[in-house]
Amino acid sequence: MGEVLALVEARLRSALGEPDARAAVTFLGTDRIEVLRFIDGDVVRYATLGMSAYPMTDPTAALADPVKGPRAELVLSVRAGLADTDKVLRPLAVLASTPQVEGVVVAAGASLDVGEPLWPGAPFSSVLVAEPGGLVEDLDLDDPMDPVRFLPLLPMTSNEAAWKRVHGADALQERWLTNGTDLRDPLRRSVTLD
């Protein structure tokens, strides 16, 4: 576990630079989840560290495999200085502990909801998990372990989350793209949905 997390942190540092802050959150019955903060000009990025310590297990599997299975960490990027986004640390740790707590596999296209604003005044309580491989490349581990994927999180308003449940993740992302939505704006309004 420690060796995997050391490799994950090294990959995050090589892709995003040195973190300027880190916080750790532990929930009863789970391992510690850290959240690292990286500043990149006017963008602040938050990355989890700890979710990939163990593989995620299919909830229908009779037995959890301690070695094989998908591994991931979460990355959220927002514009700095517009909102108190540092309060996202606990909600991010909650999302990162979902595989341990609820026995789910977090993958691209999934919706995750914390049931409260991601930060004070945020119009978002949920996120869309986007495709990995863009900002931080996958981290290959020794066989038979699966690679660690770094999953970008795109905050969704409640209307967008409801629309996504009906029309799907691809349709919502297409709507964002068509409307030129700034997904890094921590105070943005919902995209026009019809």
Side-chain angles (χ1 to χ4, degrees), residues 71-74 132 136-139 147-151:
R71 295 173 189 255
E73 295 291 353
L74 308 175
V136 184
E137 288 184 31
D138 293 349
L139 172 65
V148 176
R149 304 205 186 289
F150 297 87
L151 302 170

Side-chain angles (χ1 to χ4, degrees), residues 23 25 27 33-37 44-51 73-78 85-99 106 112-114 116-119 125 127 151-155:
V25 180
F27 302 103
I33 301 285
E34 288 191 82
V35 179
L36 310 181
R37 184 180 71 186
V44 60
R45 302 186 198 285
Y46 301 94
T48 63
L49 179 63
M51 182 177 172
E73 295 291 353
L74 308 175
V75 181
L76 173 69
S77 300
V78 292
T85 56
D86 280 350
K87 300 283 197 245
V88 78
L89 302 177
R90 184 171 173 73
L92 267 182
V94 167
L95 296 177
S97 66
T98 302
V106 176
L112 302 173
D113 195 316
V114 293
E116 61 185 37
L118 293 175
W119 51 82
S125 65
V127 294
L151 302 170
L153 300 180
L154 308 175

Side-chain angles (χ1 to χ4, degrees), residues 145-167:
M145 292 187 284
D146 289 20
V148 176
R149 304 205 186 289
F150 297 87
L151 302 170
L153 300 180
L154 308 175
M156 293 187 292
T157 66
S158 57
N159 286 345
E160 290 169 340
W163 198 84
K164 181 253 178 197
R165 281 192 292 277
V166 174
H167 299 280

Side-chain angles (χ1 to χ4, degrees), residues 7-150:
L7 293 170
V8 168
E9 184 168 353
R11 175 57 54 93
L12 286 168
R13 288 172 184 264
S14 69
L16 305 176
E18 285 299 310
D20 78 323
R22 66 191 311 146
V25 180
T26 306
F27 302 103
L28 187 63
T30 66
D31 289 322
R32 183 169 91 162
I33 301 285
E34 288 191 82
V35 179
L36 310 181
R37 184 180 71 186
F38 301 86
I39 304 293
D40 181 15
D42 70 338
V43 174
V44 60
R45 302 186 198 285
Y46 301 94
T48 63
L49 179 63
M51 182 177 172
S52 62
Y54 301 102
M56 294 181 275
T57 304
D58 183 335
T60 62
L63 192 60
D65 189 318
V67 178
K68 293 186 72 167
R71 295 173 189 255
E73 295 291 353
L74 308 175
V75 181
L76 173 69
S77 300
V78 292
R79 298 222 177 278
L82 301 177
D84 189 8
T85 56
D86 280 350
K87 300 283 197 245
V88 78
L89 302 177
R90 184 171 173 73
L92 267 182
V94 167
L95 296 177
S97 66
T98 302
Q100 284 184 60
V101 175
E102 297 181 19
V104 298
V105 175
V106 176
S111 298
L112 302 173
D113 195 316
V114 293
E116 61 185 37
L118 293 175
W119 51 82
F124 323 103
S125 65
S126 62
V127 294
L128 174 65
V129 181
E131 291 291 333
L135 187 61
V136 184
E137 288 184 31
D138 293 349
L139 172 65
D140 290 325
L141 301 174
D142 294 337
D143 280 340
M145 292 187 284
D146 289 20
V148 176
R149 304 205 186 289
F150 297 87

Side-chain angles (χ1 to χ4, degrees), residues 15 71 89 119 170 174 177 191:
R71 295 173 189 255
L89 302 177
W119 51 82
D170 290 340
E174 183 63 34
L177 191 61
V191 70

